[in-house]
Amino acid sequence: MANTVIIGSQWGDEGKGKIVDMLAATSDVVVRFQGGNNAGHTIAVNGKQTILHTIPSGILHDGKTCLIGNGVVLDPFVFLQETDSLAENGLDVSPRRLGISHKTHLILPYHVALDRAREAYKAGGKIGTTGRGIGPCYEDKVSRIGLRASDLANPDLVRTKVRQALLEKNVLLQSLYKAEPLDPDKVIDQVLGIADRITPYLTDVSGVIQESMRMGKKILWEGAQGVHLDVDHGTYPFVTSSNTVSGCASTGTGVGPNNLDRIIGIAKAYTTRVGSGPFPTELNDATGDFLREQGHEFGATTGRPRRCGWLDAVILRESARLCGLTEIALTKIDVLRNLPVLKICVDYRYKGQRIEYPPQGENALAEVEPIYEELPGFSEDISTCKHFDGLPSNVQKYIQRLEALTQVRIAYVSVGPDREQTIIR
Ligand code: IMP
């Protein structure tokens, strides 16, 4: 298997965890390159479910090296909770196989407090963030006042940075958002209290990847969220604060883009979105409820019900060109069972014109009207299908139509949550 990047090609929650877990079996190194514990990657093995927020999904495979790149924002407290819980389940989470880039920015308690206070303060226009401090942490990175993982080895630097940060943030918290200020000494004690547990994980992530590639090992980059939540290319301002497109695999781990061989976009066979923002194919009706119930569409991180709608090929076409998708892995097609008619949005109507790609401009996507094509549904149980040819012809037609609409080959079809329930074409 070549070096591979996995990204979500819709608004997140496409089932990346399962596909990463599957491809991890034939990779040597699994690395996260953006986002933080706003992600929730659900993996089912032998019927047992694990949700990972911070640690790469490859951790469930013995002997794989798992890395957290510089593009990630890491909540060190959540990281330790996750390592503790994985260790309790008998997994090796030692620094022998798990590493954090020296350059990874840390999510601290004041980032979480600001994220929540800011969302609570907004009367309208809420983004509906996950409240994990993601945006405020990336803000500090870009403002050049962030605390990085390597700083944990330098207590004086931690003290100086936390004090300086809180000078400004406490003014915001108290005066503007009418929230409780944070005591700098307490935050410093909290951070220094875990420093010794984090510093053994500090790793030159770029160096490890380069060296692994030199030895002929295979790298898997595990994306989080989805292309249309990208801070530049997504439905701004209703986006996350990182670049979720495939190019970030390079910048977020310190590896040249020429090393990214395969770029697999994960796409759910219908569309979901959590939080606010335009969603052209959203269904606020019984079909939307059906998808939510059958697909268990409730957030893995926040438990929020997800908004559900028909498959949107325009969104996927855009992801294909923004990320250079070489393949698509189509997930949860089994959820569509028993719907008499399946609709795919093939183009949009916008200001009287038929368009093939999303329009540019803030919230322009809220003004499009989806143009649908109808395909016949299926009622057969496909959860044990092992081959494409064994799928009912209506399912095959749906998949082939999506390939034609996106001009990207559908290389994997997932027909159930378990590792084994995947058709490889
Ligand atoms: P944030 O990333 O917590 O700042 O949230 C910004 C937007 O991205 C909100 O609409 C969230 O619901 C959405 N979001 C963040 N992470 C995920 C994810 O892993 N899956 C789906 N939506 C997400």
Side-chain angles (χ1 to χ4, degrees), residues 142-162:
V142 179
S143 302
R144 291 149 296 177
I145 56 165
L147 208 87
R148 303 200 291 179
S150 59
D151 297 348
L152 295 177
N154 184 344
D156 283 341
L157 190 56
V158 169
R159 286 188 195 99
T160 309
K161 284 194 174 182
V162 169

Side-chain angles (χ1 to χ4, degrees), residues 11-13 38-40 127-131 134 225 229 239-240 274-275 304:
W11 279 284
D13 309 315
N38 45 352
I127 292 172
T129 73
T130 58
I134 307 297
Q225 292 83 49
L229 287 171
V239 291
T240 190
V274 203
R304 290 181 286 181

Side-chain angles (χ1 to χ4, degrees), residues 246-247 249-251 255-261 263:
S246 56
S250 166
T251 56
V255 176
N258 53 330
N259 293 296
L260 315 177
D261 303 318
I263 312 225

Side-chain angles (χ1 to χ4, degrees), residues 37-204:
N37 56 312
N38 45 352
H41 292 172
T42 308
I43 299 151
V45 186
N46 300 331
K48 186 172 182 288
Q49 222 185 49
T50 304
I51 301 178
L52 296 167
H53 299 284
T54 287
I55 294 179
S57 305
I59 202 78
L60 301 184
H61 292 268
D62 282 346
K64 308 291 173 186
T65 300
C66 292
L67 301 171
I68 294 172
N70 57 279
V72 171
V73 285
L74 179 79
D75 185 322
F77 304 98
V78 172
F79 172 81
L80 291 176
Q81 279 164 14
E82 219 161 89
T83 51
D84 286 347
S85 123
L86 290 168
E88 274 167 28
N89 287 311
L91 286 156
D92 176 11
V93 285
S94 69
R96 275 193 308 276
R97 63 177 298 223
L98 179 59
I100 302 170
S101 165
H102 292 262
K103 302 171 190 168
T104 301
H105 278 251
L106 299 180
I107 301 176
L108 296 180
Y110 47 81
H111 295 128
V112 179
L114 268 177
D115 193 2
R116 294 183 182 172
R118 206 178 265 163
E119 281 285 284
Y121 173 80
K122 284 182 190 157
K126 288 187 202 294
I127 292 172
T129 73
T130 58
R132 300 297 189 263
I134 307 297
C137 184
Y138 277 116
E139 283 169 35
D140 280 4
K141 169 176 172 168
V142 179
S143 302
R144 291 149 296 177
I145 56 165
L147 208 87
R148 303 200 291 179
S150 59
D151 297 348
L152 295 177
N154 184 344
D156 283 341
L157 190 56
V158 169
R159 286 188 195 99
T160 309
K161 284 194 174 182
V162 169
R163 280 190 206 292
Q164 265 174 1
L166 276 176
L167 271 182
E168 195 177 274
K169 299 190 194 307
N170 274 342
V171 173
L172 276 176
L173 283 169
Q174 268 185 297
S175 307
L176 183 62
Y177 301 132
K178 313 291 176 220
E180 287 296 310
L182 275 83
D183 176 352
D185 290 325
K186 263 197 195 152
V187 175
I188 290 166
D189 284 351
Q190 278 176 302
V191 175
L192 293 182
I194 53 153
D196 285 350
R197 291 191 63 198
I198 300 286
T199 48
Y201 289 101
L202 292 178
T203 304
D204 173 2

